[in-house]
Amino acid sequence: MVLVAVFGAALLIAVLLSGLAARTVLSTSFLFLVGGALVSDGFLGLIHITPDSEIVGVTADLALFAVLFTDGMHVSFPKLRENWKNPARALGLGMPLALVGTALITHYLVGLDWTTSFLVGAVLAPTDPVFASAIVGRKEVPAKLRQLLNVESGINDGLALPVVLVLIAAAGPTAGGFAETSYGAIGLELALGLAFGVLLPLLVSGLSRFRLLGAEPKLQPLLPLATAVILYGACHLTHANPYLAAFSAGAVLTAVSPEAKDAFEPLGEALAELAKFAALLVFGALLTPQLFGDLSFGGYVTVVLAIVLIRPASMLLSLAGTRFDRRERLVAAWFGPKGFASVVYGLLVLHAGIPQGQEAYTLIAVCIAFSIIAHSSTDVPIARAFHVESLAGIPTDEDEKTRAEEPEKSHHTVSGGTPPGA
């Protein structure tokens, strides 16, 4: 109950400060991350959470699923068919370059063996647009840039997972006996996830079109929610990949039932935000002074380089020759935040029992924390370069002044026949 009370207090503070956060470098994500750290054993000691706690894996898993489901609903297949080359470049060239680059600096600066270094690179390869919401969530930003970041982040989680699982097996105590059937099992998980993500929304959409069936307007937002809940349970019961299923289900649902997507979008965004905040609070509780103290100087250099050099350089190389202008390329290169996929995969590394798993997890956790702080605090200033105004949806002083002057102008127009100065 202490954790519930802490979450409620953090949510209240975040909501009250959200207007300010949306206009400045302050971010609600940062508030929950810091809040979790403050109430943990490292500071106030109000909640006691360790990486082995079940709640850590559950909240990160749910948050990633919810975020990917809502992200998938923003995918437009017609637009994707027209502009598939840019996401393909980011995934086919940029992501492998980032993985290899991170592995190289991890090996030489931290001293991890090659297998574990590539494992760290694979865990940190996925990106998360949640921490760049002022960019990917605004229509003023060019659609091709928003689509690139959304599609890349939605698909790279599923692409990184089999690599992570294979490298965990290769780095483990029984690496020499890693059977080929494990590759088949990983492929089956991905195939099942994609199948569930495509077929279940099609089935639900078909059922809703029967004459005797169909949701009344008040309950229509719950139809996609029910689909998501069934999908989440089915994936975990069958060991299908839930993240690939979530993203594909959101995309298919939007394609076959736009009205359901429109009805669910406000509720879905709110639920995804709640799941995200809960995961950030729990993850923040793991960021103790001891964790940061365990990372070597070379580890901190690796974290900084992974964020400010490896991701930007790999994305810039992958976008060379495209129609993105210089500003759009730089924004796409910078916004590669490490998010919930990296948290989930990092916990897999920690719980796998591999020889250098603890050192790898420490590096991964610190990198995620630094990335969340860096990217969630820069999205608003960068969004203003695209003339995104009223980020918080709250009237500014100029808005209030303009609104106050409008009735006066209207009065002069009505009473005098022509506006002053005409």
Side-chain angles (χ1 to χ4, degrees):
M1 275 303 137
V2 175
L3 182 60
V4 175
V6 168
F7 177 71
L11 183 61
L12 177 62
I13 294 171
V15 171
L16 292 176
L17 293 177
S18 60
L20 175 65
R23 296 192 299 268
T24 65
V25 296
L26 179 68
S27 75
T28 51
S29 297
F30 178 70
L31 291 174
F32 276 89
L33 195 70
V34 172
L38 287 176
V39 300
S40 69
D41 289 327
F43 293 94
L44 300 179
L46 296 179
I47 58 177
H48 310 285
I49 295 176
T50 65
D52 295 326
S53 301
E54 184 179 0
I55 192 172
V56 176
V58 170
T59 52
D61 183 53
L62 278 171
L64 181 57
F65 184 89
V67 168
L68 287 175
F69 186 75
T70 54
D71 283 349
M73 299 183 81
H74 295 147
V75 173
S76 170
F77 283 114
K79 291 181 180 179
L80 187 59
R81 281 194 295 268
E82 295 175 6
N83 303 291
W84 62 270
K85 292 182 180 179
N86 294 329
R89 279 171 169 260
L91 294 166
L93 180 59
M95 184 178 174
L97 286 174
L99 191 158
V100 173
T102 303
L104 288 173
I105 61 174
T106 299
H107 177 72
Y108 288 111
L109 296 179
V110 184
L112 299 184
D113 62 63
W114 279 114
T115 303
T116 309
S117 296
F118 274 95
L119 176 57
V120 171
V123 169
L124 294 177
T127 57
D128 192 335
V130 167
F131 306 111
S133 57
I135 298 294
V136 298
R138 303 295 303 198
K139 293 182 179 180
E140 295 91 336
V141 177
K144 61 181 179 180
L145 176 59
R146 288 185 285 116
Q147 184 185 54
L148 169 66
L149 294 174
N150 262 323
V151 174
E152 179 204 8
S153 63
I155 296 178
N156 60 18
D157 302 325
L159 293 178
L161 181 60
V163 180
V164 170
L165 296 178
V166 168
L167 289 172
I168 286 176
T174 59
F178 185 60
E180 291 185 5
T181 53
S182 296
Y183 293 103
I186 293 170
L188 180 61
E189 289 178 6
L190 294 172
L192 279 175
L194 181 61
F196 285 161
V198 172
L199 295 177
L200 186 59
L202 291 176
L203 175 62
V204 172
S205 177
L207 289 173
S208 65
R209 284 176 167 78
F210 276 102
R211 181 174 298 180
L212 297 178
L213 302 177
E216 63 169 314
K218 184 173 65 175
L219 296 180
Q220 196 169 19
L222 299 182
L223 192 63
L225 178 61
T227 304
V229 172
I230 294 172
L231 184 65
Y232 183 81
C235 286
H236 282 276
L237 287 173
T238 60
H239 301 289
N241 186 308
Y243 313 128
L244 185 57
F247 187 80
S248 55
V252 171
L253 187 64
T254 297
V256 299
S257 184
E259 65 280 1
K261 178 254 185 184
D262 293 338
F264 174 71
E265 195 166 25
L267 175 62
E269 296 291 345
L271 291 175
E273 285 290 300
L274 282 175
K276 178 190 79 171
F277 290 152
L280 283 171
L281 185 74
V282 171
F283 178 64
L286 300 176
L287 302 178
T288 62
Q290 180 181 353
L291 179 81
F292 288 95
D294 288 342
L295 190 63
S296 64
F297 175 76
Y300 280 102
V301 175
T302 299
V303 166
V304 173
L305 290 178
I307 295 173
V308 304
L309 176 62
I310 301 299
R311 157 69 188 197
S314 62
M315 182 57 77
L316 287 174
L317 285 172
S318 68
L319 294 180
T322 63
R323 294 184 179 180
F324 285 104
D325 61 32
R326 180 172 175 272
R327 178 181 60 177
E328 292 166 352
R329 290 184 192 180
L330 290 174
V331 171
W334 169 242
F335 282 112
K338 320 304 176 187
F340 301 118
S342 295
V343 173
V344 174
Y345 300 163
L347 292 172
L348 289 177
V349 172
L350 181 66
H351 296 159
I354 62 177
Q356 294 181 315
Q358 181 63 57
E359 295 92 329
Y361 170 76
T362 301
L363 175 62
I364 291 166
V366 174
C367 189
I368 294 169
F370 275 47
S371 175
I372 291 174
I373 294 170
H375 292 104
S376 64
S377 61
T378 55
D379 61 340
V380 169
I382 291 177
R384 296 196 184 282
F386 293 98
H387 308 292
V388 176
E389 301 296 341
S390 302
L391 287 160
I394 298 174
T396 62
D397 294 338
E398 289 296 322
D399 294 332
E400 293 291 349
K401 182 179 178 182
T402 302
R403 189 175 299 172
E405 291 174 350
E406 284 177 353
E408 183 178 353
K409 291 179 180 179
S410 175
H411 172 73
H412 286 307
T413 301
V414 172
S415 59
T418 56

